Amino acid sequence: MRPRDELTERIALHRREKLGPLSESAYRELVAAVRKDPSSFLDDPSDVAFSVLVDALDRYGKRMSNEEALDDNQWRKARKERLSCLASECENALAIDPACSDAALCQTLARNPFADELLASLFKLEAAAKAHNQHLYSSVGKDAWADVFAHGYLRIRAAIARACINTSRYRMAEKVCKELLATSPQDEVGARYTYALALARLEDEAGFDELDARGGRRGNSWLHLSRVILLYKLDRMSSAKRALCGFSHLVEGGAYALLRPIWVDSYIPDRPEEHPCSFGEATLAVHEADPIIVDTPDLIAWAESQPEVARDAKQFANARGFAW
Amino acid sequence: MPYDPHREDYLRLSLRFAHTLDNQTPDAAEHAFANFGRRFARERDSLPQTDSDRAFRLVADAAVLIDYKLPFTPPEQADDIAVRGQKLLSEALSLDPNSPDANRMLAASEQPSFDAFYSYLKVRVDEVRSYCEKQRSLMVQDENSQRTSLAMNITMRPYMRWIASMASNAVICGRNREALRLWAKAIRADPADEAGVRFTVALALTKLEDEQGLDKLVHDCRPLPTSRDGLDPWTLLCRAALAYKRYDLSAATAALKVLISNYPHACAALIRQRELPDGVFSRLATPSMSEDELIVAVSECTVLLQEGEEENGRGPFGLWVADQAAKLASPWELDEVKEAQRQVDEFLAHEREEDQSGNDEGGSRR
C-alpha cells in the first residue's frame, strides 16, 4: 500500500467532484497541490479518517525501524506496544468514518488474532466493506484497481486469501485469488503469488503452468519457489532440483532465505513492496510458503543437501554478515 | 482386517501342516490337527516349515516389539527394544535374504529420512511384486481351493504391505498424488484391500481437497467384504476436515458427532490427538469400532490436524477439533475430557520449556 499516494488521490477526486469538470492539466495541478499539503484540502470525513490512518501507519513504520537494536525480550514488548497503538489509532479513524475499510483491516490485523479467528473477522470486514460501498464493487469491464476507493476491499480479499492458506484451506484460497484476478487483472495486491502457493500445495501442475503463462512467465520469488515445492511433491526430483537451482540463481539470496528463514512480521495492511527477485521478496515468499513447506517435512533437508544451493546460501550469508 | 503378524505366522504354518494331512484318513487328520495348536505354541521346530517360514516368525516377533511394545516403552528402555527388534530382522534376513517384510522393516529404521525411505521403497516395488508373484505361482494347487486361495493371498501380502508402506509414506512426505497412484496398484494386487490402503488414500484425497474423489472411494469400496461404508474413523475425520476446509463448520461438526457417538472415549482421544509412530510391519491391528482403532486413525490424521499456522502445537483444524470435542462431550465424559486437556497442557508447557532453553542458547527472531 502507498498510503500517502492513495490519500492524495482520494482527496483530489473528492475535490474534483465538488468543483465540477476540470481539464487534465488543471486536475494535475490540483493533485500536486493536494500532495504538497493534504490537510488544507481535507473536508470529506472519509478522507479525514483515511488521513488519520495514514499518519498511524507512518508512526507504526517508524516504531518498527527503531526496534533493530533491541534484544528479544525488549523487542517482544515493543512489538506488543506498537500493535496496540496502531489498533487504538485505527479506532480513532473509525470513529470519524465507520466505513473506513482500511482502518478496520489494520485494526483487525493489529489485534493479532489466531488464524481461524482472523479469517472470521476478515469475512465480517468484507461484508461490511461491501455493504458500505455498494456502488464501488460493480466495475464491469474495467480493472477494479482503477478506483482508489475500491483498494481497501481488494486488500481485504487478498488478506482473506492469505488467511485461507494459513488455515489449510487451499481450494478456498484458490477461489478467492481467481476472483481477485478476474476483478483486477492488474493484480496490485499480488493475488497470483498466493494462488501459485495454493496450486503448488494442491499439486496442480496444469493450473500452475496456466498461471505462469498468464503472467508472461515473468518469474519472481513466489513462482520460482512454488515450482520447487510442486515438483518435489510430485516426486519429479530431477526437475525439482533444476527448479531449486533456478530459485537459487534467479532470486538474490533465495537459497539463504529458504534454508535460514527470517522472521517476518504481520502484513499490515498488506504485503510490503519489494523488488522482484530481491532478497527481501524471497523472505516474504518463504514466510508465506511456511505452512506448505512444513507440511513437506523433508523438503528443506533435501534442498540443503544440494551442494550448489548450500554453497550459494553460505556465500550470501558471508557477504551480508548473516549467521549461518 | 489389518494384518496381525502372529496370526499370519500361525496361518502360514497351519496351511503347510494341513497340506501334509491330505493323504491321511479323516480321523487321523482330525487327531493330528487337534495337536497343531499345542505344537505351534511349544514345539514349533517339530512342525513342517521352510526357512522362509522361520524367517517370518522372526519378522512377526520383531513386529510385535517395534510396533506394539516400543511406542509404549519408557524412553530409557526404548533403545534396547529397538535394537532387539533390529537383531531379529537381521536374523530373519540371514535365513531368508529375500524376505520383503524383513528388508522393508530394517530399511525403515536405517533410512535417514522419510524421503530416503520412500525412494528405497519406490526403487524396489516392482522387484517385490515379481518376487511375491513367483512365490504365488509355486503354490501347490490342491483340491481344497479355499486353502489354495488363502495360501496364494498370503504370498502376496508382503507386496501389499510394501504398497501400503509406500502410500502412507507418500502422504507423510507431502506427496498426495503419488499416494493416489498407488491405490490402483493396491487394488489390482488385492481387490479386498486387506491392508486398508483405502484409508491412506482417503487422507491423500482430503489433503488435495478432493471431496468427489472421497465420495467415489467410499462408493467403490462399498462392495468389499471389509467395507466400513464410510463410518470408519479415517473417513469420518476426513469428512470433517473437508467440511472445515470449505468453511462449512456445521457439516464438520456433524461428521465429528457421528465419530463421537460411535467410538468410546472419542472426545478425550480427539483432544489428546496423540501422535504415534506408524506401524513398521503394517498398520496396527485393532478391533473395528474400538478406542484403539480411533487412536490409530487420529494419529494418521496428524497430517490434517497439524497443518497450517501452528498454535499450541496444533494446526487450526486440530485446534478446532479439540475445541469441538470438549463442547460435544457428554456429562459422563467430562472428567476424562478434563484429564485429557490437562495432559495436553502439561505436554505443551514441557515443550515450551525446551524451546525456551533452545532460544536462550542462541535462537532469536533474527
Side-chain angles (χ1 to χ4, degrees):
Chain A
M1 183 186 183
R2 294 181 185 180
R4 297 225 167 262
D5 287 352
E6 288 194 18
L7 177 65
T8 302
E9 196 179 342
R10 293 172 69 111
I11 295 174
L13 286 170
H14 276 145
R15 189 49 70 103
R16 186 172 70 178
E17 253 175 54
K18 280 210 167 110
L19 297 173
L22 291 175
S23 70
E24 258 191 58
S25 57
Y27 180 66
R28 273 201 299 273
E29 271 183 43
L30 170 63
V31 169
V34 170
R35 186 175 289 122
K36 208 165 164 196
D37 182 15
S39 53
S40 54
F41 292 87
L42 271 180
D43 44 29
D44 190 303
S46 72
D47 295 336
V48 174
F50 199 84
S51 158
V52 167
L53 175 67
V54 168
D55 289 341
L57 286 173
D58 227 6
R59 275 190 290 276
Y60 180 80
K62 288 198 170 88
R63 283 196 183 100
M64 256 210 301
S65 54
N66 288 339
E67 288 165 6
E68 280 297 311
L70 301 178
D71 69 35
D72 281 357
N73 280 330
Q74 289 170 330
W75 170 80
R76 261 188 285 269
K77 211 171 152 223
R79 179 174 186 260
K80 206 172 166 193
E81 239 173 76
R82 100 168 108 86
L83 287 171
S84 166
C85 287
L86 180 62
S88 69
E89 284 165 4
C90 289
E91 190 59 46
N92 298 340
L94 288 165
I96 300 166
D97 176 19
C100 182
S101 48
D102 277 304
L105 176 61
C106 290
Q107 186 185 51
T108 299
L109 295 166
R111 284 183 180 148
N112 209 22
F114 180 58
D116 254 356
E117 208 191 308
L118 173 61
L119 187 58
S121 303
L122 289 173
F123 281 137
K124 287 197 181 116
L125 289 189
E126 182 194 13
K130 252 193 155 154
H132 276 134
N133 299 290
Q134 281 292 337
H135 64 285
L136 293 176
Y137 309 117
S138 54
S139 51
V140 178
K142 68 172 182 168
D143 196 307
W145 191 257
D147 180 358
V148 70
F149 300 105
H151 290 191
Y153 176 74
L154 293 171
R155 279 188 279 267
I156 290 172
R157 295 282 287 161
I160 286 173
R162 289 191 296 270
C164 284
I165 298 269
N166 288 339
T167 55
S168 69
R169 293 176 166 110
Y170 300 98
R171 294 234 178 261
M172 254 175 79
E174 195 186 8
K175 181 168 175 280
V176 172
C177 290
K178 265 185 175 150
E179 286 165 2
L180 266 170
L181 288 170
T183 309
S184 171
Q186 194 177 335
D187 193 24
E188 291 292 326
V189 296
R192 66 191 177 284
Y193 310 146
T194 308
Y195 195 2
L197 291 175
L199 290 168
R201 166 58 182 74
L202 292 170
E203 303 175 39
D204 182 351
E205 191 173 10
F208 183 83
D209 279 342
E210 200 195 309
L211 178 70
D212 196 20
R214 260 168 58 187
R217 306 213 182 266
R218 271 190 310 271
N220 67 18
S221 303
W222 287 271
L223 286 162
H224 290 309
L225 180 60
S226 299
R227 187 176 288 107
V228 177
I229 295 170
L230 173 69
L231 292 167
Y232 179 93
K233 284 167 76 64
L234 294 174
D235 199 28
R236 304 236 298 275
M237 297 313 288
S238 354
S239 303
K241 185 178 169 184
R242 277 195 297 278
L244 178 66
C245 292
F247 176 66
S248 181
H249 292 150
L250 297 167
V251 178
E252 184 202 12
Y256 182 81
L258 181 62
L259 300 183
R260 297 289 184 271
I262 288 179
W263 193 84
V264 171
D265 215 326
S266 314
Y267 295 169
I268 304 181
D270 60 4
R271 194 185 274 126
E273 272 187 60
E274 296 282 354
H275 288 302
C277 297
S278 65
F279 175 62
E281 190 195 58
T283 63
L284 301 183
V286 168
H287 164 72
E288 289 175 41
D290 187 60
I292 299 168
I293 290 173
V294 167
D295 192 49
T296 315
D298 286 340
L299 184 132
I300 297 294
W302 164 77
E304 192 153 2
S305 73
Q306 307 306 314
E308 222 177 299
V309 173
R311 191 195 59 222
D312 285 350
K314 278 189 195 132
Q315 276 175 4
F316 183 82
N318 289 335
R320 292 280 187 113
F322 290 158
W324 173 249
Chain B
M1 272 299 286
Y3 300 122
D4 180 315
H6 277 157
R7 190 159 168 268
E8 190 165 322
D9 178 39
Y10 182 88
L11 271 175
R12 288 171 68 119
L13 252 53
S14 67
L15 280 172
R16 205 174 287 289
F17 187 71
H19 191 59
T20 65
L21 304 179
D22 281 343
N23 297 324
Q24 298 192 15
T25 62
D27 275 349
E30 200 184 315
H31 177 76
F33 210 88
N35 281 324
F36 175 80
R38 185 186 50 77
R39 288 174 71 183
F40 179 85
R42 297 192 208 149
E43 297 165 11
R44 191 201 165 91
D45 285 344
S46 72
L47 291 170
Q49 55 195 292
T50 61
D51 275 347
S52 167
D53 293 329
R54 290 185 189 91
F56 190 83
R57 171 52 188 263
L58 294 167
V59 163
D61 286 345
V64 168
L65 272 179
I66 299 169
D67 289 350
Y68 295 82
K69 279 215 163 74
L70 185 56
F72 309 103
T73 300
E76 54 277 8
Q77 290 158 30
D79 275 346
D80 189 51
I81 303 248
V83 164
R84 274 168 58 200
Q86 282 163 11
K87 274 205 173 109
L88 286 166
L89 293 171
S90 299
E91 217 182 306
L93 283 172
S94 68
L95 286 169
D96 180 9
N98 291 315
S99 163
D101 287 315
N103 277 301
R104 178 177 55 87
M105 289 168 69
L106 211 48
S109 63
E110 288 174 351
Q111 295 295 329
S113 64
F114 297 119
D115 217 3
F117 185 46
Y118 184 74
S119 299
Y120 169 90
L121 294 173
K122 190 169 179 176
V123 154
R124 291 164 182 76
V125 66
D126 290 336
E127 197 185 306
V128 167
R129 191 189 75 237
S130 304
Y131 174 78
C132 292
E133 282 172 347
K134 181 153 185 254
Q135 301 308 304
R136 184 175 60 184
S137 69
L138 296 174
M139 281 294 112
V140 178
Q141 300 269 4
D142 62 29
E143 295 122 19
N144 186 328
S145 67
Q146 247 187 349
R147 221 164 54 195
T148 305
S149 117
L150 179 57
M152 285 169 73
N153 172 280
I154 286 178
T155 57
M156 291 307 293
R157 285 183 185 188
Y159 175 62
M160 291 308 303
R161 286 189 280 268
W162 196 279
I163 299 275
S165 237
M166 276 182 78
S168 106
N169 210 271
V171 171
I172 290 171
C173 285
R175 294 182 167 129
N176 301 290
R177 291 207 189 277
E178 280 285 288
L180 297 187
R181 264 191 281 280
L182 289 163
W183 174 236
K185 270 194 160 87
I187 208 71
R188 236 190 341 262
D190 177 16
D193 185 33
E194 282 179 336
V197 177
R198 80 194 86 144
F199 302 133
T200 307
V201 170
L203 286 174
L205 287 165
T206 305
K207 295 286 280 184
L208 296 173
E209 298 185 43
D210 185 354
E211 196 138 14
Q212 275 186 338
L214 183 63
D215 289 339
K216 181 171 186 303
L217 178 72
V218 172
H219 172 269
D220 290 348
C221 290
R222 205 158 269 138
L224 300 186
T226 51
S227 168
R228 306 284 296 278
D229 212 15
L231 294 175
D232 57 273
W234 291 266
T235 307
L236 288 170
L237 277 166
C238 286
R239 291 269 182 227
L242 284 166
Y244 173 88
K245 284 169 181 289
R246 63 170 192 273
Y247 211 64
D248 184 350
L249 299 181
S250 39
T253 304
L256 273 194
K257 276 183 177 160
V258 176
L259 187 66
I260 288 169
S261 62
N262 279 294
Y263 286 85
H265 311 289
C267 293
L270 290 171
I271 287 168
R272 273 192 211 100
Q273 293 177 21
R274 198 161 164 203
E275 200 184 339
L276 298 169
D278 278 355
V280 161
F281 174 71
S282 75
R283 178 180 285 126
L284 264 58
T286 52
S288 291
M289 311 298 285
S290 67
E291 184 188 4
D292 282 347
E293 186 187 46
L294 175 62
I295 289 171
V296 168
V298 169
S299 171
E300 287 182 38
C301 287
T302 295
V303 288
L304 298 173
L305 296 163
Q306 285 193 4
E307 190 176 11
E309 195 184 309
E310 181 251 320
E311 169 127 339
N312 290 337
R314 307 274 161 95
F317 179 58
L319 279 179
W320 180 84
V321 164
D323 205 47
Q324 290 302 297
K327 289 187 178 128
L328 295 170
S330 311
W332 56 86
E333 290 175 281
L334 289 178
D335 279 343
E336 68 183 31
V337 157
K338 235 182 179 167
E339 174 57 18
Q341 276 167 332
R342 192 199 61 78
Q343 286 169 350
V344 169
D345 290 341
E346 201 175 273
F347 177 76
L348 284 174
H350 177 72
E351 295 264 288
R352 254 179 243 124
E353 262 175 44
E354 286 197 352
D355 265 351
Q356 196 57 49
S357 59
N359 276 340
D360 289 343
E361 279 162 25
S364 89
R365 72 189 187 278
R366 305 251 188 253

